[in-house]
Structures are given as C-alpha cells and as structure tokens.
Amino acid sequence: MAESTAPPGPDARAPDTGAPTAFGGDRAAGARSRPGRSAPTVLEVLRKLDASPRGLTEAQAQERLARFGDNVLPALREATWPQLFVRSLRDPFTAVLLCLGLVSAAVLAWGTASVILLLVVVSCVLRATGEHRADRSTAALRDLVATTATVVRRAAEDAPPTSRELPPDELVPGDVVRLGPGDLVPADVRLLRAHGLTVHQSALTGESAPLAKSASDAPHRAGGVFEQRQCCFQGSSVVSGSATAVVTATGARTRFAAAQGRSAGRREASAFDRSVHGISWILIRFMLLTPPLVLMANAALRGRGLETLPFAVAVAVGLTPEMLPVLVTTCLARGASLLARTHGVIVRRLPALHDLGAVDVLCLDKTGTLTQDRPVAHRALGPDGRDDPEVLHWAAVNAWWTLHLADLPEPDALDEALLESADPDDLMAYDGVAAVGFDPARRLATAVVRTPGRLGRHTLVVKGDVRAVLERCALTDEERRSLTGRAAAQADDGLRVLAVATAERPARTRAYTPADERGLTFRGLVTLRDALAPTAADALKNLTDRGVTVKILTGDHPGTAARACRDLGIPVTGEAIADAGRVDTLTDAGLSALARRTTVFARCTPDHKARIIRALRAAGHTVGFLGDGVNDLPALRTADVGIAPRAAADVTREVADVVLAEKDLTALDQAVAAGRHAGGNIATYLRITLSSNLGNVIAMLSAGLLLPFLPMLPAQVLTQNLCFDAAQLAFAHDRPHPSVPRRPTELRPRDLLRFITGFGVLNAVADLVTFAVLALALHGPGTGDDEAVFHSGWFTENLLTQALVMVLLRAGRHTAGRRRPGPVTWAALALAAIGLALPPSPLGPVLGLTGLPVLYYVLLVAVLAVYAAGLLAAGSRAARRLQPDRGVPQL
C-alpha cells in the first residue's frame, strides 16, 4: 500500500442538495467545508443514531426498517406499452398525419382517411414496441449485479454480535457494516475503524484516483463533503483496506439519491426534436395554404364551388409524406435492433439513434473511457534524474513483501502496477523479515528483507509519498528542495509519483516500528500513469474520421487529463486545456467561444459539465455525452443524446438514452455509424418525397387553372400516393453510400426547404412539359376520351419521374452506374412498371384510366431523358454545397 504524490483533485464535487440525514436536519451535499472544522466524533454520531459499535438488535432493525423504509433509491417508473403508444401520438409527424386524416374524414374522403389513420397506428405500434423492448432490456441489467452487505447484529440486547450477509435494501440507520476490497458501499456511513482504506468515488465526484479514508476524529480539510475522510458514501466502492462503519443514511436520504433528485426534471429538446418540429411546421404551412388556394383559384377562374373540396384535400394529401412516421420508426427500430444484437447496445429512446448520427461533438470523462481504472509504471528516475531500473526494482520488492507480511488481502492499484513490471523470481530471491504497513498518517510503507549473500544485515525498503520519504532521508535542505521540485514537475505532467529509499540495519529479532524509518538513503522516484484503454486510440481516430470532435470533461487535475490525451495522440497544447473554474467567470457567449477552442476541461463539477454542453449546443453543435456516475446526471440530461455503460449506476442508466455493453468507444463508434445509416435513409426519403410531392402540387395547381376538367381525380391521386409511398418503404432497408457515415447527418429544416423548393420546381417543369406532350399527342384536349387519356398520361409520367428521382437523387452522379441494384432500385423499377402497366390494365377503367398512344411514349422518353440530365446536374450542385465547418449535407 502506498500513497503517491499526484495532481490534486477538485475542491468541490456536488452542489447543495439539502437532503435530510437520518438523524434530522438538512445536509448540504456540496457545501464547501471550512478548514479545521471538526466533524462529529464517533461517539456523537452513535448517540444521534441511538446505535452501538456492537450493532443493532433484530428488533431495533425491524422497527427502523418500518420507520425509514427499504434502502433503495426512489424508483423511476417505467412507462407501460399503452403509455408509450399514446406518447407516440404526440410526435409532430404523426400529429400532422392524424389531423390530415380527420380532415379527410370530414369531407367524406373515407378511403384517404382510412389509409392515413392506418399508417398512424402502424407507426405508433412500431415505436411503442421498440421503446418498450429497450426499457425491458435496461431493467434486466439491474438483475446482473446481485450484492450483499456484511452486517453486525445481535439477536437480543444481551446477545453477542454476529456478522451475516444481508441484501443492502434491508440496511437501516444505525446498522454496523464491514467493508473490504471490492465491496460497494451500501449506504452513507461513518467509519468506526479503518485499516489502509481507500475508496473510488468516481461515480459521485468524477475523480479517478482513489481517496484514502480513516476513522480519525481530526478536523477535516477544506473541500467538498465527499472529501471528508471519516465518511463513505453510497455509490462508491472499496479499492483496498478494510473498515467497520455505522450507517448514517439510507435510501432517499443518501447523498447519492439527493444528487439524483437534483438532476430530475424535463430534459431539453434534442436535435431530433428540433428537426422534427421545424419540418412539421413546414408541412403544416403548406397543407394549410394548399386547399384554400385550390378552392379560390377554381372558383375565380372556372366557377367551381365546393365540389372541388375533395380534390383540394387530395392535393394536400399528395404534398404530405404519409409514410414518414412509419419509415422513420422502421429505420430507427432496425438500427436499434441491429446494435442490440451485434454490439449489445440498447437504444432506450428511438430518436436518440438519429441524434447519435447527428453528433459532431462528443463529451466524455477520461476515466474508464480513454483510460482504465488502474495505473501502470511509467519511468524510474534515480537521484540525478536519469532513468534507473534499480529504483523500480526496489519499489517492487517493497510492494511484494508488504503484501505478504502486512496481512493485506490484496495489493492496492499502485502496488499492483509495480508488481506487474517486475520479475517474480527477482522478488523471491529476497527473504522477507517484517513489514510496517501503510497508514494515512505516515503516508508510506516499509518492508524489511534479507538480501542474499549479506548475512547479519537487514535492508529496510521504504516507499510512499515523496515528502514523507524525503523527510526521513539523510539529505541536505537544498537536496530535499531539489528532489521535491522534480517530483512536483512530474506530478504537474499528469503522473503519480512515489519515492523509494533504503537503509541497511544490523539483523535483529526485535520488531520493527515506524521509528526505524530514519536516516534513509534516497534511491529515486517511480512515476505511474493511467493505463490507456486498449481500443481508445483506434476508436478516437474513427470518430475523428467521422467528423466527431472529442472533448474531455473530467474532475481530474489538468495535468492528468492532458497526459492521457497526449498518450492517445490528442493535441492538447495552449488553450486546448482549461480549468473549469474559469467557467464560473464567463458569460454564455464567452463560454461558447472557450468551448469551441478547448479540448480538455479539468476539475469539472456536475454543473460545469452541464453548462459546457449547453454552450456547445447553443453554438449549433449536436452534442453527445458519455458518463457513468450520478455526478454525470445533469450533463446526461442536457446533451442531445446521453450515453451510459452497462456498469453505470442504476439511476444513470435510467436517464441515459443509449446504454453500451461496455464503457468502450469502439461500441460507441459503431452506434454513431448506425445512427448515420438511419439518419441518411430518413434524410434521403424526405428529400425525394417532399421535392416530388411539391412538384406534383405545383403542377396540379397549374393544370387546374388551365384545363376545363380536374387534372387528376381524387381516387387517382390516392392510388398514385399509395404506390409511391409503398415503394419508398425500401429506404428503410437501404444501405447508404459509404460517404454517409463519414459526416454527421442532421435534418435541418431550412436546408431541406431550399432543397425541395429547387427540385420541386424542376419536377413541376417536367410535369408541365408533359402537358405539352399530351396536347401534341392528342391534338388538343376537349372530349371525354381526351380527359381519360390526360389523366392516364400524367399518372404514368408522375410514377416514372418519381422512380427516376428515387434512383438518381439517392445514388448521385458518381455512383449511379457502379452500385449493384439494391432495395431502392428494385422498388423504383416496380413503381415504373406499375405506372406503365396500370392504365391499359383491367383495373385502369375502375380508376378512370385508359391506354395511351405510342407517340406519347416516344415523346415521354425524350422528356424523361432531359429530366434525368437536369436531376444529375442539380444533384451534383447540391452535393458540392456542404458546410465547411461541420460537413453536414444541405438537405
């Protein structure tokens, strides 16, 4: 066991929550402690809890369990399937369709209303089923970790105390528990006794380094409540050592629960929510304008009255992408299902998959993501500052024999790193004599060994905190200052530093004590760094290639975070590193500017993380956040998409939109790719459908004013829409072009409106040219037969042009001839076949369609060739119009 010199952690970890303690009053979870303020003594705590070091009796425990309740966090109620179904109806896309179906029913267009309402139901069923399945998968994760707590209780007041294992939810304030390495702290506790105890509090504070704890009643140092040495908190875990403690708070009264409650509330709108809202309002405006325009134009120019209302509604239906809710839900559900099967990634909220694809900034903590929760040996420096392997050798000797002679259950993380770097045979060459174990007061540990070939002599090997070791070495003040400065420079560079010293003593049988740790010979320094996650470097490169900027929001010291980034090849020089303390002094605009040029924010509190993410979103970025602790809850709620690993705290998983099988950036990279596949298909569907529909509406309005009859019957409009919509379901099964996953895919209403306007006008021009072709082929309209032929010619041309749009706007100029036919190509061919075959078929007369003259088909080929050339030229121009700063395609 050894305490290292390391970069200091943040001063405060949690804001004021005001959660009540078990013995009355309020507690400020994040209030800064005044230096020198005395914590309640063990005796005072036991008196307030009416408890004893011998444990509660069973009767007392049962009475308190009834009074305080189970030791469980406030439950987050899971939505039922019917609730999810009703929630799906609030989706703006679905609401638009629902309103349109009701309007169709109001004008007695029962066929149109029935089809639209059926699509609404199918979309809501798919979405509710997918999200319900994800909720069940998340709930099943809770059953993967079954823990118990070692509790000391008595059968009766005069009975002896006995230890037994109990479920943590049966603990009550006043219970005495025992903690050992690997144990989860089951409640908030006050230490009664502790031996070499260190705990991980990263789930609460974000600090990666374990914190030493002791039962001392000495005044605690300045800092947040979580830095109190006498207390351990629910949500932390024991790294090394052992302890006996009394439970002070359980369930909703713990600081863990208080942090959860502080973060509760309605989450901000995500990128998908904003995009859907904008696109829905575009559709609503078009739909509200179209029927009145049709009615007024026909009344003014043709003297028609309300008999044109069904046609006006049919035109509005023709503008609306009826399959949009179904296709969006299908794309997202297929992507989420594939991620769950292949990578163990659970998408708890389907739109979050789109948000993953739109992410261009990913914020994460370095601990467990870029680095593992363990150190590794970095360098061994002699007294002159040069590399000296002997220093690492002596440090490993100390770690080996203190482990075996001081009755430690297992090595702590630093000792384990030293042992991994040493040859066990070299360590076994020594004979262990005695050990003086580590304790927080001395901040060092000593092993006494007998060196082979040196009879009658014992060697003391001392390792620990730099200042503590140097104080015991035979050095001048100048030498001590120089070595302290060298160690501080290493610590500022993000390394943990241990000092090593030895001393020769005559062999003896008398026990060794801390008083023997004097007059030592300084051997050197051992530096350790955080072990890098094995897949982090490759995953970061993949994310960068996909246009995702990674930013580190950590509670660690700036040097520690910068060291990990440099080791992974992330440039972090100059203003790329900032202390989160600056965040409190900046306005929102100033923080946005700082966040844009900063890669690492160190010493972050939960509120800092949330505010930084909010600033990035305000600057126009789509932000993802990966976190696993209760301290990450505000950031998870603020981000467009919150991500948590399976091993995260229960409450963190419940808040997250996406749950990873492991805290591994490789799985996250795959999730981003899946999100971009789904988002790319949705964006392509919207571009093609809305531009085609807009062109058809413009052409219909124009034809309605030029012709003495309706340009297309309502039944024909509905049939055409159904054929086109059914064909476009293929987009849900399409594999986008390889360039799509390489850049964020976000539905941007303004860009989409610009795109559909340009291509809609082009489509309308092709339709108007078709009118001229029909006039030429028929030598002028005027008879009833001419009306049926006009309807048939335009019906055929509409489906053929829409089939062309599906193929050409999807594939693009450079890939149209090289890609093998996929589902979209086959669907387009089927659509074209229907357009050619339906008018002369037996079903044609039922719809008011008829066969067409050969001259029409000849002229139509020429029109389609010119239209295809125009599509390719316009598509090439649109493809070049990419935003240079984010690489998001103009939709």
Side-chain angles (χ1 to χ4, degrees):
M1 180 73 192
E3 179 169 308
S4 66
T5 298
D11 292 331
R13 290 302 182 206
D16 187 358
T17 61
T21 65
F23 40 85
D26 290 343
R27 65 201 297 175
R32 288 178 55 83
S33 305
R34 292 189 298 273
R37 189 180 69 180
S38 296
T41 65
V42 169
L43 184 59
E44 290 172 340
V45 172
L46 291 173
R47 283 177 177 172
K48 288 179 181 178
L49 292 169
D50 190 20
S52 163
R54 300 175 66 237
L56 299 175
T57 65
E58 292 295 341
Q60 289 175 322
Q62 291 302 318
E63 184 272 330
R64 297 188 186 197
L65 186 61
R67 179 166 27 129
F68 292 107
D70 290 343
N71 179 33
V72 294
L73 294 174
L76 294 175
R77 291 188 302 170
E78 295 178 2
T80 62
W81 190 93
Q83 289 173 326
L84 292 172
F85 181 87
V86 173
R87 187 184 302 169
S88 300
L89 291 173
R90 299 202 300 262
D91 177 84
F93 285 155
T94 304
V96 167
L97 274 187
L98 190 59
C99 293
L100 199 58
L102 295 177
V103 171
S104 300
V107 298
L108 304 181
W110 299 112
T112 302
S114 300
V115 171
I116 290 176
L117 294 178
L118 176 62
L119 294 177
V120 168
V121 171
V122 170
S123 172
C124 291
V125 167
L126 287 174
R127 181 165 178 176
T129 301
E131 294 189 355
H132 186 60
R133 185 183 299 115
D135 285 345
R136 285 186 300 171
S137 298
T138 305
L141 294 177
R142 303 189 194 104
D143 300 330
L144 296 178
V145 181
T147 60
T148 59
T150 304
V151 186
V152 177
R153 283 188 182 171
R154 294 170 290 158
E157 191 68 39
D158 56 351
T162 57
S163 298
R164 59 184 178 127
E165 299 293 317
L166 287 179
D169 56 6
E170 295 184 15
L171 293 182
V172 296
D175 260 330
V176 174
V177 297
R178 290 176 177 168
L179 302 173
D183 287 346
L184 297 176
V185 179
D188 288 357
V189 300
R190 207 293 188 185
L191 297 177
L192 303 177
R193 293 182 296 277
H195 176 69
L197 183 68
T198 61
V199 298
H200 260 311
Q201 297 187 156
S202 57
L204 299 168
T205 67
E207 176 66 59
S208 62
L211 185 66
K213 299 282 186 175
S214 68
S216 170
D217 289 332
H220 55 73
R221 64 182 183 180
V225 167
F226 291 122
E227 294 186 30
Q228 293 182 15
R229 297 297 181 111
Q230 302 91 347
C231 298
C232 295
F233 303 94
Q234 186 181 39
S236 55
S237 59
V238 178
V239 179
S240 62
S242 59
T244 301
V246 61
V247 174
T248 59
T250 59
R253 297 173 178 81
T254 62
R255 298 190 189 278
F256 191 88
Q260 171 188 342
R262 185 181 65 85
S263 302
R266 187 173 181 178
R267 68 177 302 146
E268 301 179 22
S270 68
F272 184 81
D273 299 329
R274 296 192 301 270
S275 300
V276 166
H277 185 270
I279 294 171
S280 297
W281 273 109
I282 291 176
L283 296 177
I284 290 171
R285 291 188 185 102
F286 273 118
M287 286 189 300
L288 290 177
L289 287 174
T290 300
L293 284 176
V294 173
L295 291 173
M296 288 188 295
N298 279 276
L301 299 179
R302 295 294 178 183
R304 300 169 185 154
L306 290 178
E307 67 271 15
T308 59
L309 183 58
F311 174 73
V313 173
V315 171
V317 172
L319 176 65
T320 308
E322 295 94 339
M323 296 299 295
L324 180 57
V326 175
L327 187 132
V328 168
T329 304
T330 303
C331 283
L332 297 177
R334 289 187 73 250
S337 177
L338 181 64
L339 281 174
R341 290 197 312 268
T342 59
H343 300 286
V345 176
I346 300 173
V347 180
R348 301 189 65 246
R349 185 177 60 88
L350 282 184
L353 187 61
H354 164 272
D355 293 336
L356 271 177
V359 162
D360 64 332
V361 175
L362 176 63
C363 298
L364 45 85
D365 192 351
K366 75 171 186 63
T367 306
T369 306
L370 302 181
T371 62
Q372 303 177 56
D373 291 328
R374 64 181 183 87
V376 293
H378 179 246
R379 293 180 67 189
L381 306 175
D384 56 359
R386 298 178 181 177
D387 289 331
D388 185 352
E390 279 296 305
V391 180
L392 184 58
H393 169 77
W394 283 116
V397 169
N398 173 282
W400 176 265
W401 287 109
T402 52
L403 172 66
H404 287 79
L405 298 176
D407 296 327
L408 298 179
E410 61 181 40
D412 77 335
L414 298 181
D415 284 347
E416 193 169 6
L418 296 174
L419 294 175
E420 286 179 355
S421 64
D423 186 344
D425 293 336
D426 291 342
L427 304 179
M428 293 296 293
Y430 297 88
D431 293 326
V433 176
V436 183
F438 175 88
D439 69 65
R442 288 167 43 247
R443 295 174 296 160
L444 49 79
T446 297
V448 182
V449 298
R450 185 180 298 110
T451 304
R454 304 188 66 179
L455 298 177
R457 306 291 293 177
H458 287 170
T459 302
L460 276 68
V461 186
V462 181
K463 166 179 61 67
D465 175 74
V466 173
R467 292 183 182 276
V469 173
L470 291 178
E471 288 172 358
R472 292 162 171 79
C473 290
L475 299 169
T476 65
D477 290 342
E478 181 62 30
E479 289 172 331
R480 195 170 283 110
R481 281 194 297 270
S482 175
L483 292 171
T484 301
R486 185 179 301 157
Q490 296 293 325
D492 289 341
D493 197 30
L495 299 170
R496 301 180 190 180
V497 187
L498 294 171
V500 182
T502 62
E504 294 294 325
R505 298 284 190 267
R508 73 187 196 198
T509 57
R510 182 167 46 90
Y512 285 88
T513 68
D516 294 302
E517 299 165 342
R518 52 186 174 76
L520 307 177
T521 301
F522 180 72
R523 288 286 186 171
L525 303 173
V526 175
T527 61
L528 303 100
R529 60 172 175 80
D530 289 330
L532 302 180
T535 60
D538 291 339
L540 285 173
K541 182 180 183 303
N542 291 339
L543 288 169
T544 301
D545 292 342
R546 295 189 193 280
V548 178
T549 301
V550 175
K551 295 186 181 293
I552 314 300
L553 311 182
T554 180
D556 284 331
H557 183 274
T560 305
R563 160 65 60 178
C565 291
R566 283 196 298 271
D567 291 343
L568 289 167
I570 303 175
V572 284
T573 57
E575 290 191 346
I577 307 175
D579 192 304
R582 293 180 58 187
V583 172
D584 297 325
T585 65
L586 296 173
T587 62
D588 290 343
L591 180 56
S592 293
L594 178 65
R596 186 170 56 251
R597 62 178 184 268
T598 302
T599 301
V600 176
F601 284 93
R603 291 196 178 104
C604 284
T605 65
D607 286 339
H608 286 149
K609 295 180 181 182
R611 192 174 172 216
I612 292 166
I613 291 172
R614 194 173 292 113
L616 289 167
R617 294 185 64 190
H621 295 284
T622 302
V623 184
F625 179 78
L626 172 59
D628 62 354
V630 68
N631 64 308
D632 293 322
L633 290 177
L636 287 168
R637 290 185 178 276
T638 305
D640 288 288
V641 53
I643 310 159
R646 185 178 68 179
D650 284 350
V651 63
T652 306
R653 289 199 308 267
E654 296 291 345
V655 170
D657 302 308
V658 177
V659 179
L660 305 178
E662 303 292 342
K663 198 171 183 181
D664 184 0
L665 288 181
T666 301
L668 183 56
D669 176 58
Q670 295 298 323
V672 169
R676 292 186 179 176
H677 284 164
N681 287 340
I682 294 170
T684 301
Y685 167 80
L686 282 172
R687 288 198 301 266
I688 292 174
T689 302
L690 292 179
S691 59
S692 296
N693 290 358
L694 181 61
N696 290 339
V697 167
I698 294 173
M700 280 188 183
L701 293 176
S702 302
L705 301 178
L706 296 174
L707 299 173
F709 52 81
L710 292 178
M712 192 173 286
L713 300 178
Q716 295 165 355
V717 174
L718 179 59
T719 302
Q720 174 185 278
N721 289 341
L722 286 177
C723 292
F724 189 36
D725 291 336
Q728 291 191 94
L729 274 178
F731 282 113
H733 303 272
D734 189 30
R735 185 169 185 83
H737 186 265
S739 64
V740 171
R742 291 202 291 267
R743 60 177 183 264
T745 53
E746 182 179 351
L747 304 176
R748 311 183 70 193
R750 287 182 179 274
D751 297 332
L752 180 62
L753 180 60
R754 186 185 306 118
F755 185 97
I756 65 176
T757 301
F759 280 89
V761 170
L762 180 62
N763 191 24
V765 169
D767 287 343
L768 294 174
V769 171
T770 303
F771 296 165
V773 169
L774 286 168
L776 179 62
L778 301 175
H779 304 290
T783 66
D785 289 339
D786 289 346
E787 181 177 340
V789 171
F790 183 91
H791 291 161
S792 301
W794 197 15
F795 182 89
T796 297
E797 182 268 348
N798 266 339
L799 293 187
L800 291 178
T801 54
Q802 288 172 343
L804 270 178
V805 168
M806 287 179 63
V807 174
L808 296 182
L809 286 190
R810 164 189 170 270
R813 181 183 62 181
H814 299 292
T815 59
R818 295 205 300 264
R819 289 172 64 99
R820 291 183 299 174
V824 173
T825 302
W826 289 115
L829 291 174
L831 186 65
I834 292 173
L836 292 171
L838 186 59
S841 73
L843 292 176
V846 177
L847 297 173
L849 302 175
T850 187
L852 295 165
V854 175
L855 178 60
Y856 169 77
Y857 292 107
V858 174
L859 296 174
L860 183 60
V861 170
V863 172
L864 293 178
V866 174
Y867 180 56
L871 278 178
L872 288 174
S876 177
R877 180 185 176 191
R880 289 194 299 268
R881 248 188 11 243
L882 297 176
Q883 289 191 6
D885 58 333
R886 297 178 62 192
V888 180
Q890 303 284 334
L891 299 182

